[in-house]
């Protein structure tokens, strides 16, 4: 999402802000004030099934690709697995209470496909659906909107054995699964996300092999993107047909991160455009515009059958945007698409995962959605940061860096809203310190600390800070 004109404009704005001494805060309200959000702005949080549920072999759940992957030697840091995760399967009431005490009004959780359909298709596991039934009721009892996401990376291993996202048949299987879940929860859950970050699944799971299922290759990556796009379109159409009169809002969740040339150099610009096409536009453009990006058009033409793009291009009621940082790209002959990550501008803050802290990149994404994609209703469905959490004198984590990260990104979004961006809500990533995929449990994104031995939950300072943001429907500028 970075045309040459947009890049130059955004780069100039970033340089101006830096000269003013503080990025987003320089555009915020005066020191000590509160930056308010519109009435009805939706505050909440997001999680995902494999990262928090645990109970991987209970009540009929089948294995997922992440069960297989995490148990393979050397795939995940410290040999960690999601077998226990945060034990949310048994402690969901406690977690819902934590959301309610903070005043959250929405919870995006993912439904584990292998918990509902252990073989991916066929016989429904009633006990699996029962869990999401209980969770939905618990949320509504605390005045929290359930936002089910139908796929957040934990593909049934039985379907991977049939090719996974490289098998076109999975588009129909996913649609059937979506209808199964909606038939049980759709009388109460009204907001439905189809996929979470399909480009990330394809790049890391089917291109680089760093995530489950560990497949590699450029062609595999692009095929996995196209098949997920097709499955998403089939599911959107099926749920729209089934949901007439039920008040459902249908959408999906994409990771959108601006791709910038390292150092702003012209020589690096083609690499940044290629990576933008792979990461951002290969999923966004066919959904909204019905075309694949020019840089990859020939590749996708070989994968696309008549009618595919019409199936993929579906009306959506909302777009979930997951944003963490920009992607600074330069040529790399060894890269999957001839590109590779480089350094952000000198002086850029970093998280503990070494990700750049660039809140103005979120405003950039929102402006591009406004200018080039029809300004769809947007919910920030993930935004958060990993930092080294240290227990302070109070006996809990005093995570000022995480608070600053969230504050600056919220202020960036609010500024974009002033300029016309159609942002409707904010779902923090994430409630609990969880299983962070290939990083295992050594990364901490949560507002709540989880003791790995006892599973005890302890809210961090960021939890209280976020609760105040929700209560006041505004973000303090310092």
């Amino acid at each position: 999402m970075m045309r040459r004109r947009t890049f130059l404009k955004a780069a100039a704005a970033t340089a101006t802000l830096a000269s003013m001494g503080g990025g987003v805060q320089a555009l915020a309200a005066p020191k000590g004030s509160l930056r308010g959000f519109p009435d009805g702005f939706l505050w909440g949080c997001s999680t995902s099934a494999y990262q928090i549920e645990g109970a991987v072999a209970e009540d009929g759940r089948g294995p997922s690709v992440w069960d297989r992957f995490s148990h393979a030697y050397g795939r995940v840091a410290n040999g960690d697995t999601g077998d226990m995760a945060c034990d949310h399967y048994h402690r969901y009431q406690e977690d819902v209470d934590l959301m309610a005490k903070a005043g959250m009004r929405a919870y995006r959780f993912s439904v584990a496909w292998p918990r509902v359909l252990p073989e991916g298709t066929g016989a429904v596991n009633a006990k699996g659906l029962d869990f999401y039934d209980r969770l939905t009721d618990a949320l509504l009892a605390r005045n929290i909107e359930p936002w089910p996401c139908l796929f957040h990376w934990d593909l049934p291993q039985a379907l991977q054995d049939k090719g996974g996202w490289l098998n076109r048949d999975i588009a129909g299987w996913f649609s059937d699964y979506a209808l199964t879940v909606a038939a049980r929860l759709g009388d109460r859950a009204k907001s439905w996300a189809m996929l979470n970050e399909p480009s990330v699944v394809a790049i890391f799971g089917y291109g680089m092999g760093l995530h489950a299922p560990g497949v590699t290759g450029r062609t595999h990556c692009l095929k996995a993107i196209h098949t997920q796009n097709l499955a998403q379109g089939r599911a959107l159409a099926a749920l729209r047909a089934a949901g007439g009169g039920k008040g459902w809002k249908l959408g999906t969740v994409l990771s959108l991160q601006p791709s910038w040339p390292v150092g702003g150099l012209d020589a690096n610009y083609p690499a940044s455009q290629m990576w933008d096409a792979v990461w951002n536009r290969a999923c966004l453009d066919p959904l909204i515009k019905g075309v694949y990006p020019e840089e990859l058009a020939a590749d996708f033409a070989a994968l696309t059958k008549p009618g595919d793009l019409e199936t993929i291009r579906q009306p959506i009621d909302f777009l979930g945007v997951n944003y963490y940082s920009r992607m600074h790209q330069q040529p790399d002959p060894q890269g999957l698409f001839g590109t590779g990550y480089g350094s952000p501008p000198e002086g850029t803050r970093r998280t503990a995962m070494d990700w750049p802290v660039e809140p103005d990149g979120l405003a950039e994404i929102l402006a591009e959605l406004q200018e080039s994609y029809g300004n769809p209703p947007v919910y920030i469905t993930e935004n958060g940061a990993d930092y080294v959490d240290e227990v302070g004198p109070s006996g809990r984590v005093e995570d000022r860096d995480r608070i600053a990260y969230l504050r600056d990104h919220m202020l960036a979004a609010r500024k974009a809203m002033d300029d016309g961006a159609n942002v409707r809500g904010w779902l923090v990533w994430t409630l609990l310190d969880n299983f962070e995929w290939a990083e295992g449990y050594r990364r901490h994104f949560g507002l709540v600390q989880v003791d790995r031995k006892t599973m005890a939950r302890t809210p961090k300072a960021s939890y209280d800070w976020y609760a105040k943001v929700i209560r006041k429907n505004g973000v303090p500028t310092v």
Side-chain angles (χ1 to χ4, degrees):
M1 301 182 69
M2 180 53 61
R3 296 166 296 168
R4 183 65 173 165
R5 176 182 61 81
T6 307
F7 167 70
L8 292 172
K9 182 170 66 175
T14 299
T16 299
L17 289 175
S19 70
M20 293 168 64
V24 172
Q25 295 183 53
L27 291 176
K31 182 178 179 179
S33 66
L34 192 77
R35 195 72 172 86
F37 280 69
D39 292 343
F41 194 81
L42 191 66
W43 299 101
C45 69
S46 292
T47 67
S48 89
Y50 190 75
Q51 291 181 272
I52 68 168
E53 280 183 4
V56 296
E58 290 189 38
D59 291 338
R61 177 189 179 276
S64 77
V65 293
W66 271 96
D67 294 296
R68 176 76 60 85
F69 189 82
S70 66
H71 279 268
Y73 179 77
R75 292 292 202 175
V76 176
N78 301 318
D80 293 337
T81 74
D83 292 359
M84 174 67 76
C86 300
D87 199 27
H88 177 73
Y89 189 78
H90 299 110
R91 296 170 178 261
Y92 71 92
Q93 284 281 12
E94 183 179 354
D95 296 334
V96 171
D97 286 345
L98 284 166
M99 296 176 219
K101 288 176 182 176
M104 298 183 198
R105 288 292 170 259
Y107 175 42
R108 183 178 73 104
F109 60 93
S110 75
V111 177
W113 191 344
R115 197 177 290 285
V116 174
L117 293 166
E119 296 299 316
T121 61
V124 175
N125 177 32
K127 289 185 178 180
L129 278 176
D130 288 347
F131 168 70
Y132 298 107
D133 231 1
R134 296 191 299 271
L135 174 60
T136 298
D137 285 344
L139 291 166
L140 291 172
R142 304 304 297 270
N143 198 29
I144 300 170
E145 292 183 21
W147 280 56
C149 179
L150 290 166
F151 177 72
H152 196 134
W153 303 11
D154 50 350
L155 187 72
Q157 182 61 44
L159 296 188
Q160 183 57 39
D161 293 342
K162 298 178 180 179
W165 291 114
L166 303 180
N167 182 344
R168 282 179 60 95
D169 291 341
I170 200 173
W173 300 333
F174 180 71
S175 179
D176 292 343
Y177 155 66
L179 288 169
T180 297
V181 178
R184 173 65 78 90
L185 305 182
D187 59 330
R188 289 153 290 157
K190 302 302 179 183
S191 299
W192 292 83
M194 302 302 105
L195 305 178
N196 180 82
E197 300 184 343
S199 67
V200 181
V201 171
I203 292 166
F204 289 107
Y206 288 85
M208 297 180 178
L210 301 176
H211 283 181
V215 176
T216 59
R218 174 186 171 121
T219 300
H220 291 147
C221 174
L222 295 176
K223 190 170 185 179
I225 287 176
H226 182 67
T227 309
Q228 287 179 93
N229 286 341
L230 194 62
Q232 175 181 273
R234 291 277 297 271
L236 283 167
L239 290 184
R240 196 165 299 282
K246 297 181 180 179
W248 291 349
K249 293 190 301 181
L250 306 179
T252 200
V253 175
L254 302 180
S255 171
L256 299 178
Q257 326 288 324
S259 182
W260 277 31
V262 172
L265 299 176
D266 287 345
N268 295 332
Y269 187 71
S272 73
Q273 281 293 90
M274 174 58 80
W275 195 242
D276 177 40
V278 176
W279 188 287
N280 296 315
R281 291 182 285 125
C283 293
L284 184 63
D285 284 10
L287 172 64
I288 304 294
K289 300 180 177 181
V291 297
Y292 277 110
E294 181 180 353
E295 294 85 350
L296 299 169
D299 297 273
F300 280 114
L303 302 170
T304 303
K305 294 186 176 183
D308 280 3
L309 287 171
E310 289 77 10
T311 298
I312 293 168
R313 188 181 190 183
Q314 295 289 329
I316 54 173
D317 301 306
F318 69 89
L319 178 66
V321 171
N322 294 353
Y323 174 80
Y324 291 94
S325 67
R326 292 191 181 98
M327 305 176 295
H328 299 271
Q329 293 291 302
Q330 59 193 359
D332 180 359
Q334 303 305 313
L336 193 63
F337 291 87
T339 75
Y341 283 83
S343 297
E346 186 176 352
T348 302
R349 290 178 293 160
R350 308 278 191 128
T351 70
M353 287 185 74
D354 207 32
W355 291 357
V357 179
E358 299 172 299
D360 45 341
L362 174 57
E364 184 182 322
I365 287 291
L366 296 173
E368 189 76 2
L369 289 172
Q370 181 182 351
E371 294 175 11
S372 303
Y373 293 90
N375 205 19
V378 164
Y379 292 84
I380 307 304
T381 40
E382 286 187 25
N383 178 252
D386 165 53
Y387 287 102
V388 177
D389 287 335
E390 297 180 357
V391 177
S394 65
R396 67 170 185 172
V397 171
E398 302 291 339
D399 50 344
R400 294 182 181 87
D401 286 338
R402 183 171 293 107
I403 291 171
Y405 179 99
L406 292 171
R407 178 196 67 219
D408 290 352
H409 284 78
M410 290 172 182
L411 290 174
R414 189 65 185 89
K415 174 61 171 60
M417 293 165 66
D418 288 341
D419 295 334
N422 191 8
V423 183
R424 307 287 185 86
W426 194 282
L427 307 180
V428 165
W429 186 267
T430 182
L431 181 68
L432 307 170
D433 286 342
N434 59 21
F435 177 83
E436 187 52 39
W437 308 115
E439 294 290 323
Y441 296 103
R442 66 181 180 176
R443 303 300 183 186
H444 305 123
F445 281 80
L447 302 178
V448 176
Q449 186 181 33
V450 177
D451 187 294
R452 292 307 313 155
K453 293 181 179 179
T454 67
M455 294 290 122
R457 276 81 160 132
T458 305
K460 304 175 187 178
S462 57
Y463 172 91
D464 288 343
W465 178 87
Y466 190 43
K468 184 179 289 186
V469 166
I470 296 170
R471 186 170 65 252
K472 293 179 178 276
N473 194 32
V475 177
T477 58
V478 292

